[in-house]
């Protein structure tokens, strides 16, 4: 038996974050979350199932090097779920995968990666390509991957069990001319993975307070997207980013080699950009920030302001020698697709 398929999926950026799980085995989140798919941050994956293969292999296509053992194991475990559903138990796979952006720095490469993998593997195995089913399955690989399946702006419904936790569309990509200027200030991989961060979240003394705020914030962000109300949307998104990082910074971490008072995902440059955003806004440029679990800052503006914003950020970059930031100008994008 030999079966092959390719798929592409975007990373997504959360405006209301997923941080903390109510069931870690099933990756059921503590709360709903809302995101948009990013046009300039994609994973392309080709998978070949072949009964002659002796083991699963994952190759990073751009360098033709094998992926780290830990990642290969996670892929293999995810493929086991899909093989079981398809009744293709013992058939091993070769996975070739490639990101269009740096990984481990606060752009959700696990989201695009597991959305592309789930879509490609389901297509190759002849499983149904229903978006709800794909979204639930992608979630089991990496939680936020479920939001990279539908097109455009998406909400992950937390649900109560395996079948009720998946993402749905809030608005299509062309609904709103939003731009996300993603500023990668460092390509060093973060110290605490999001998987570990989720597990620690409930240890923050502020976690319950955050959960109590979220239903109202979710309603406001969802409604602001639908109404294209940039001000409410931006304000809630920025408050939410600070709320999420407060949890991360106040979840004490015990590691084999020490104790950390919390996960500080920001770098000095991240904070410099965040403070600059507040100034630019005071000067009349409508822009808001958010950050995921890494130092990368995502600047949110309308299409008409993106060139002015880029000039401002460039000026900040050039204000100190030796800086070399990478910029991605993202528009709202479609979700995962099988490639011909
Ligand atoms: O899906 P994970 O385990 O990589 O977690 C994603 C966590 C955040 O990016 C910080 C928030 C989110 O909702 O994407």
């Amino acid at each position: 038996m030999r079966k092959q398929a390719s798929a592409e999926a975007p990373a997504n950026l959360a405006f209301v974050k997923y941080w903390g799980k109510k069931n870690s085995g099933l990756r059921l989140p503590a709360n709903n979350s809302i995101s948009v798919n990013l046009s300039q941050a994609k994973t392309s994956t080709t998978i070949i199932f072949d009964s002659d293969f002796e083991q699963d292999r994952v190759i990073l296509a751009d360098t033709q090097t094998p992926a780290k053992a830990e990642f290969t194991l996670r892929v293999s475990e995810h493929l086991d779920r899909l093989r079981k559903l398809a009744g293709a138990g013992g058939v091993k796979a070769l996975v070739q995968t490639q990101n269009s952006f740096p990984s481990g720095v606060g752009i959700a490469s696990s989201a695009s990666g597991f959305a592309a993998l789930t879509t490609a593997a389901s297509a190759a195995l002849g499983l149904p390509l229903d978006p709800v089913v794909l979204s639930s399955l992608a979630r089991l690989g990496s939680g936020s991957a479920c939001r990279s399946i539908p097109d455009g702006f998406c909400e992950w419904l937390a649900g109560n069990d395996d079948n009720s936790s998946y993402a749905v569309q809030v608005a299509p990509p062309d609904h709103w001319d939003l731009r996300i200027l993603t500023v990668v200030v460092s390509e060093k991989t973060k110290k605490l993975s999001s998987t570990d961060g989720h597990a620690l979240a409930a240890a923050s003394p502020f976690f319950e307070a955050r959960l109590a705020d979220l239903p109202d914030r979710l309603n406001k962000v969802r409604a602001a997207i639908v109404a294209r109300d940039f001000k409410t949307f931006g304000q809630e998104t920025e408050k939410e980013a600070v709320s999420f990082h407060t949890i991360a910074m106040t979840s004490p971490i015990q590691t084999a080699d020490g104790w950390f008072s919390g996960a500080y995902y920001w770098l000095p440059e991240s904070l410099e950009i965040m403070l600059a955003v507040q100034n630019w806004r005071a000067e009349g440029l409508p822009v808001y920030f958010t950050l995921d679990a890494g130092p990368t800052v995502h600047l949110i503006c309308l299409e008409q302001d993106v060139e002015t914003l880029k000039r401002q950020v460039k000026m900040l970059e050039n204000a100190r020698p030796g800086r070399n930031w990478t910029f991605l100008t993202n528009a709202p994008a479609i979700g995962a697709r099988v490639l011909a």
Side-chain angles (χ1 to χ4, degrees):
M1 166 211 173
R2 190 179 168 94
K3 289 178 175 170
Q4 171 170 352
S6 300
E8 190 175 81
N12 65 72
L13 173 68
F15 303 123
V16 179
K17 313 286 184 190
Y18 148 52
W19 199 243
K21 299 176 203 177
K22 59 185 175 198
N23 179 324
S24 56
L26 289 177
R27 289 188 206 272
L28 300 183
N31 55 274
N32 285 21
S33 51
I34 297 180
S35 62
V36 72
N37 290 328
L38 301 175
S39 62
Q40 299 304 308
K42 288 184 191 157
T43 301
S44 310
T45 298
T46 295
I47 188 161
I48 303 169
F49 290 96
D50 192 319
S51 30
D52 289 340
F53 291 160
E54 284 173 5
Q55 57 185 21
D56 290 328
R57 280 182 306 145
V58 181
I59 303 289
L60 307 177
D62 44 352
T63 52
Q64 283 299 312
T65 51
K68 285 189 187 145
E70 192 188 345
F71 183 70
T72 302
L73 181 65
R74 195 165 158 192
V75 167
S76 197
E77 284 171 359
H78 191 56
L79 292 178
D80 284 344
R81 294 180 187 111
L82 302 168
R83 284 184 283 234
K84 199 171 160 199
L85 282 175
V91 187
K92 302 295 180 196
L94 170 65
V95 176
Q96 296 250 11
T97 187
Q98 182 165 355
N99 291 339
S100 70
F101 59 99
S103 63
V105 295
I107 310 174
S109 55
S110 62
S112 52
F114 279 92
L117 179 72
T118 305
T119 306
S122 297
L125 292 170
L127 288 168
L129 296 173
D130 174 74
V132 167
V133 175
L134 280 179
S135 180
S136 293
L137 287 170
R139 185 199 82 238
L140 294 168
S142 172
S144 56
C146 73
R147 296 188 313 235
S148 290
I149 299 290
D151 293 346
F153 298 82
C154 301
E155 179 161 1
W156 176 5
L157 310 173
N160 298 311
D161 57 21
D162 194 14
N163 293 329
S164 57
S165 189
Y166 53 85
V168 294
Q169 185 180 84
V170 171
D174 62 0
H175 167 73
W176 204 8
D177 272 350
L178 219 56
R179 292 292 177 270
I180 316 287
L181 180 61
T182 297
V183 187
V184 182
V185 297
S186 163
E187 296 202 6
K188 276 200 205 117
T189 305
K190 61 199 177 195
K191 281 205 193 94
L192 184 76
S193 71
S194 47
T195 303
D196 293 341
H198 288 295
L200 290 164
S204 162
F206 306 112
F207 188 65
E208 291 302 323
R210 168 174 161 73
L211 287 188
D213 267 359
L214 280 176
D216 182 52
R217 176 159 303 138
L218 283 158
N219 286 339
K220 284 185 176 146
V221 169
R222 191 188 310 108
I225 291 171
V226 171
R228 301 187 197 92
D229 170 357
F230 187 63
K231 193 170 173 187
T232 308
F233 173 73
Q235 287 178 353
E236 290 303 318
T237 296
E238 204 170 286
K239 279 195 256 172
E240 165 64 6
V242 176
S243 159
F244 149 57
H245 282 276
T246 300
I247 303 302
M249 285 190 275
T250 53
S251 309
I253 305 164
Q254 190 75 54
T255 62
D257 52 0
W259 178 82
F260 299 91
S261 49
Y264 300 93
Y265 288 114
W266 304 342
L267 287 175
E269 284 136 299
S270 321
L271 187 59
E272 199 178 327
I273 299 171
M274 291 155 76
L275 295 175
V277 163
Q278 318 237 12
N279 290 336
W280 296 331
R281 215 160 44 221
E283 290 161 6
L285 179 64
V287 51
Y288 297 88
F289 65 74
T290 187
L291 298 91
D292 279 343
T296 296
V297 186
H298 302 272
L299 300 174
I300 306 163
C301 68
L302 294 171
E303 199 267 336
Q304 69 216 37
D305 295 318
V306 74
E307 291 307 321
T308 313
L309 178 62
K310 269 191 211 167
R311 277 197 297 278
Q312 294 285 5
V313 185
K314 267 277 169 204
M315 261 157 53
L316 200 64
E317 182 190 14
N318 295 333
R320 278 176 212 266
R323 283 178 169 171
N324 188 13
W325 297 348
T326 305
F327 298 85
L328 306 177
T329 308
N330 293 290
I334 59 169
R337 287 287 188 277
V338 177
L339 300 175

